[in-house]
Each structure stands twice: as C-alpha cells, then as structure tokens.
Amino acid sequence: MTHSDLIVKVKAPNGTDLKVQTGLFINNEFVKGDSTIDTVNPATGEVICTVQAAEANKVDEAVKFAEKAYDEVWSKTSAIDRQKLMFKLADLIERDIEEIATLESMDNGKPYQFAATFDIPALVGMIRYYAGYTDKIHGKVLDTPAAFNFVELQPYGVTAGILPWNFPAVLLGGKIAPSLAAGNVMIVKVSEITPLSALKVAALVVEAGFPPGVVQIINGYGKTAGAALARHMRIGKISFTGSTLVGREILKAAAETNLKKVSLELGGKSPNIVFEDADLDQAVKWAHRGIFFNSGQVCTAGSRIFVAEAIYDKFVAALTLAAKEGVTGDPFDAKTAHGPLVSQTQYDRVMGYLESGKADGAKIHLGGKRVGDKGYFIEPTIFTDVKGTENIVREEIFGPVAVVMKFKDEEDVVKRANDTVYGLAAAVHTRDIQRAIRVAKRLQAGTVWINEYNVVEVQTPFGGYRQSGIGRENGEDGLKEWLQVKTVKVNMNIQL
C-alpha cells in the first residue's frame, strides 16, 4: 500500500517516463514523514522531486515494526524460504535494471552506462551471493573435559544500515544482503541526497513477497534519522559507510547507549605505486580508473600516485592524455566518462581543495576548473610539484583530483605510502611479482591491488586499517559481521 500522492511522475533526461516513490518505506507501506527534502539532479542543479524525511519518531516506529517482524515471522522463517525471497528480489531488480539505473544516474550523476553495467548488476550479485549462504550457516561441536559443547551462530535481530551517496544501489545490497542472509531484519537509512533507487527497490521488496517489517527503507538527514538509528536502544547491530568524522559519531552514540555492534567502512587517501618496470600503458589506464572513476567520489580513490623517478615524466604525460580524452558531461550520453559531483556542497568542497593546493604552492598540471555553466562538473585535475605536507596530499578530497609524486626507491615509497591516518586501499604496479608481494605485505591497507585498481568483488572481504574503518564487508567475513556467537555447554560427567 502507498499514499497516491507519494508517487510522482518524472521524465528522465533520457526521455524515460518514471513513476517515482517518494515516501518512507515502513512495514511494507510508503508513508509520509515528518518533513520533506528536495532531491536534485547534479547534472543540472534542478530539483527532480521532493521526498519524505524521517525524524526520530518515525525511526522508532520502524524499529517497533522490525521487532514484531523478527519475533513473529522472520525468526521462524526457514533458511530455504529466506533464500527464495532473496533470489526473487534479485530477479525483480534485474528485470527493472534500466529503470533503476536511470534513477541512479539522474539522482547521483554517474554515467548511465556505469550504473546499468556495474552498479545495479552489483546490487543483484550481492543479493544472490548472500542468498546462497542462508542455508550454509552453521556452528561447530567441541568435546572438552568438562562438557559437550556446541557453538551456534545467531542473528542480532533488528539491525540497521546507513548508506552514503556515492554508490547508493551497490551499498544497499552490501547492507541488506548479508543481514537478511544471517537471519536479521533490516532498517536502512539512505542518503538524503540520493534516495530514489533505493525507494524503487523498496517497492520490489513488497512484490517479492517479503513479510512486512523485514526490510524497511527510510530517508532523512544524518543528524536526525541517522542519529536516531545509532542511538536506538533496541537495534543490535549497525553498519555505516561514509566519512571518518561521522563514523566516530556513530561509535560514540553506540558507546553512550546500548553498546550495539558497529561496523564502519570509512574514508581513505590511498596510495597507487608505479615502479619503473611496470607496464606503463596498463599502469596509466589503471591509475586513471583509480582516481577518475565515479568522478573521484570513491572511498578507495587512488588519489596519491607515486611514480618511480625514471618514468615519472612519461607517466604524467600519458595520464594527462588519458584524462583529456575522457569526456566530462551529460551522464546519459554514451560518450561520457566523467559525470558531475553529487551536490553543490561537494562541488564547493572540491573547489576549496583546488584553491588550497594552489595556495600551498602545488602546480595544477591539468584541469582545476568548472565545466559548463550548470550542474556540478569539475575537470579531471592533476597536481604535481608537491611537498607532501599539503592538505591535497593529506586529506580525503572525494573528487576528480590526483596528486602525482616521484619516489626514489622501495623503502622511500613504502614509508611515504604508509604516512597517512587512513588505510583503506593501495596498489602496486610492477612486473616483478616478488617485489609486488613484498610491498603489498608492507602496505598498511585493507585491500592491496597488484597491477590493477578499484576492482572490488563480493567474494573478497573489504574494509580498512586505521581510521578507514572497523570490520569487513563482502565475502564470508562480511557475513560474520551480522552474526553473534553463542556457546552451549552440556554437563556430561561433573557431579557436585
């Protein structure tokens, strides 16, 4: 069920006529919130539509429905039946992939071709991957001198996820899929900037046949709806993807309330190392992908590019050419490689870093300017001639801004690569596999790519060292984040 006035008709830039859900998805219904938020097309700066927003009272309402769903239905639903529902949801998303990709591109600004061939298929893949785990979760038996013991893996019950705006669909799958597979119910707060694709998926949750309250999706600001989830006494586990600053606030909220389990996937300032024996053509292509994919709005962005002195000039020239060849413009144009930044706020933030870099004496080798007279487009930008102490080198920019630096030898580059508060990702480009593995082991990062960049797959664990997060997503390790361990000890021979 839904209020008819919560569905709005929108004509997408590609000419598609869409019926867009704008309500809060609570207990399998779209309902009105406490306030509203305009969602904007970042390619034009124009409002797409107005969506409902939740305050603390709506969060509490969602939690009550989640508890009821878990206690009365979901905890009694067999693993096979949960699996069938998840597979059905994946099939429905795949059926509507063009519509969801259109919403994603229009709301987020990423090129439609990327949304349709990567983001939405990744969402489908996440759900199918974890659906396969539902009937394969098992504990173990231990025989000890004092008892016969069995160890169970059990769900937390009511869980929550808070999404960022850079990959709304992908990370929706990264939260709901392992949580549901583990047997939990889930409340997701989408980013107030990019809610539309998730709200479309919410409608498919009903069509797939999920019981009311098992999956709930709400929109709202972090300081209200997000904080209410983080502080709620009856949520057992919360997962957040976003900035390190907000991650700290979520940890603090959990500590001050019920000490709920927290997992965090946070920021990064990732080093991308190119040795002199690397395949230069391939290293340039991977470096270009590493920093300019999704307009640099990627937590793993390879924004610190370290290049061996012997090939530095050739590398910079080739990367410059690659950046110039990529078209910045309309996300629905098939030739577009770089879309806009997601919002005016993010545009202003990135432009502020460009000014900061220039003020600190760094050289803008390429780019650094606005593109067009509408929307939030910035040219792919390359800084050179940096000292290493500038804010553009030390802080996460989250935009299409690369800093390319020379290094002398392996010891020099490993030391400088690790000189950061972050530790989300890194990469090494070399034909010497022994050196590649040796350096990979020394880099303080949760993911290290060798001769590639930004290749994230659901099968392999993903997460950060240091201030880049706590816990892991993806793979079996990601599933374990949504399960808690119980030991049951049976007295076999002790008499008092």
Side-chain angles (χ1 to χ4, degrees):
M1 295 178 60
T2 185
H3 294 281
S4 59
D5 57 341
L6 296 179
I7 299 176
V8 299
K9 294 181 179 180
V10 172
K11 182 173 282 294
N14 60 0
T16 304
D17 291 315
L18 302 171
K19 292 183 178 180
V20 179
Q21 298 284 358
T22 65
L24 306 174
F25 183 65
I26 297 177
N27 204 38
N28 275 19
E29 296 184 1
F30 288 94
V31 300
K32 291 187 175 182
D34 306 292
S35 58
T36 59
I37 300 172
D38 289 339
T39 185
V40 173
N41 181 344
T44 64
E46 298 171 353
V47 174
I48 301 168
C49 62
T50 299
V51 296
Q52 299 296 307
E55 305 286 340
N57 65 309
K58 286 296 184 183
V59 170
D60 193 54
E61 184 179 318
V63 171
K64 290 176 181 176
F65 283 124
E67 287 181 314
K68 179 179 175 65
Y70 181 77
D71 292 340
E72 298 181 6
V73 181
W74 199 240
S75 63
K76 301 173 184 177
T77 301
S78 71
I80 294 297
D81 286 339
R82 283 190 278 115
Q83 183 182 77
K84 289 177 180 177
L85 288 167
M86 292 179 69
F87 278 133
K88 178 64 173 177
L89 178 59
D91 290 345
L92 293 173
I93 294 170
E94 190 170 57
R95 181 197 68 189
D96 293 348
I97 195 167
E98 293 181 2
E99 180 182 350
I100 301 172
T102 298
L103 288 167
E104 189 86 334
S105 181
M106 180 171 59
D107 205 18
N108 170 275
K110 67 181 62 196
Y112 172 81
Q113 60 175 327
F114 296 161
T117 61
F118 170 73
D119 291 65
I120 314 308
L123 165 60
V124 172
M126 283 272 188
I127 296 172
R128 286 178 175 158
Y129 176 81
Y130 282 111
Y133 262 114
T134 56
D135 61 347
K136 299 170 186 67
I137 298 171
H138 56 80
K140 57 185 176 181
V141 172
L142 299 172
D143 189 10
T144 62
F148 174 81
N149 312 272
F150 56 94
V151 180
E152 292 187 321
L153 300 177
Q154 295 189 332
Y156 285 89
V158 179
T159 64
I162 300 178
L163 305 185
W165 44 255
N166 58 334
F167 290 97
V170 176
L171 293 169
L172 175 65
K175 306 302 183 193
I176 67 171
S179 180
L180 294 176
N184 299 294
V185 296
M186 184 67 157
I187 303 169
V188 176
K189 191 202 85 67
V190 297
S191 168
E192 66 276 10
I193 300 173
T194 55
L196 299 185
S197 60
L199 293 175
K200 167 60 182 178
V201 172
L204 299 181
V205 167
V206 179
E207 187 176 347
F210 278 85
V214 172
V215 178
Q216 300 180 90
I217 298 176
I218 60 174
N219 186 38
Y221 291 109
K223 62 184 179 182
T224 50
L229 287 171
R231 303 191 71 85
H232 207 287
M233 295 295 293
R234 298 196 304 280
I235 291 175
K237 154 76 195 260
I238 190 167
S239 174
F240 168 77
T241 299
S243 71
T244 298
L245 178 66
V246 176
R248 284 195 179 96
E249 292 301 311
I250 289 173
L251 269 180
K252 181 180 178 181
E256 292 176 345
T257 53
N258 64 339
L259 284 174
K260 60 177 61 64
K261 172 73 178 292
V262 176
S263 56
L264 304 171
E265 195 270 280
L266 306 175
K269 193 68 179 175
S270 300
N272 193 359
I273 301 169
V274 183
F275 284 96
E276 66 278 0
D277 66 337
D279 181 324
L280 185 62
D281 178 66
Q282 284 295 303
V284 167
K285 289 177 179 177
W286 285 111
H288 181 275
R289 173 191 174 110
I291 182 56
F292 297 127
F293 175 66
N294 210 43
S295 299
Q297 299 169 124
V298 184
C299 54
T300 56
S303 54
R304 294 188 298 143
I305 304 175
F306 294 94
V307 183
E309 289 178 337
I311 62 168
Y312 180 84
D313 291 339
K314 289 182 179 179
F315 179 91
V316 171
L319 182 62
T320 301
L321 180 60
K324 286 181 177 179
E325 289 178 344
V327 175
T328 300
D330 178 8
F332 287 94
D333 187 328
K335 297 188 294 293
T336 295
H338 312 125
L341 298 182
V342 76
S343 66
Q344 182 71 55
T345 299
Q346 190 62 17
Y347 172 88
D348 292 342
R349 171 185 169 87
V350 174
M351 291 301 287
Y353 273 108
L354 299 183
E355 292 303 315
S356 170
K358 289 188 290 184
D360 287 338
K363 175 185 176 182
I364 291 186
H365 176 82
L366 177 72
K369 302 183 185 67
R370 181 189 181 102
V371 177
D373 58 3
K374 64 178 182 178
Y376 313 125
F377 296 91
I378 294 178
E379 293 176 323
T381 301
I382 299 173
F383 274 101
T384 57
D385 297 344
V386 299
K387 299 183 291 293
T389 57
E390 300 90 341
N391 288 340
I392 58 170
V393 180
R394 310 297 299 175
E395 298 177 10
E396 184 177 40
I397 299 174
F398 229 64
V401 183
V403 178
V404 188
M405 298 169 281
K406 298 178 183 179
F407 71 87
K408 295 179 180 179
D409 53 33
E410 185 176 311
E411 287 301 315
D412 174 43
V413 76
V414 169
K415 180 179 179 180
R416 290 164 64 191
N418 286 334
D419 184 18
T420 174
V421 299
Y422 297 108
L424 189 57
V428 181
H429 299 270
T430 176
R431 288 186 171 96
D432 184 341
I433 192 62
Q434 290 183 333
R435 174 161 62 184
I437 294 174
R438 182 173 65 244
V439 172
K441 287 179 177 291
R442 297 179 65 190
L443 292 172
Q444 296 296 304
T447 295
V448 180
W449 291 289
I450 295 176
N451 296 325
E452 62 178 14
Y453 206 98
N454 268 347
V455 179
V456 178
E457 298 175 286
V458 66
Q459 297 88 351
T460 52
F462 177 78
Y465 285 20
R466 298 171 172 170
Q467 293 183 35
S468 287
I470 299 170
R472 291 295 179 267
E473 297 187 337
N474 299 353
E476 186 176 6
D477 294 271
L479 180 68
K480 291 177 181 177
E481 295 287 336
W482 300 91
L483 293 161
Q484 49 192 342
V485 179
K486 174 182 286 186
T487 298
V488 179
K489 302 179 73 71
V490 181
N491 187 349
M492 301 297 289
N493 55 19
I494 299 177
Q495 299 291 323
L496 296 181

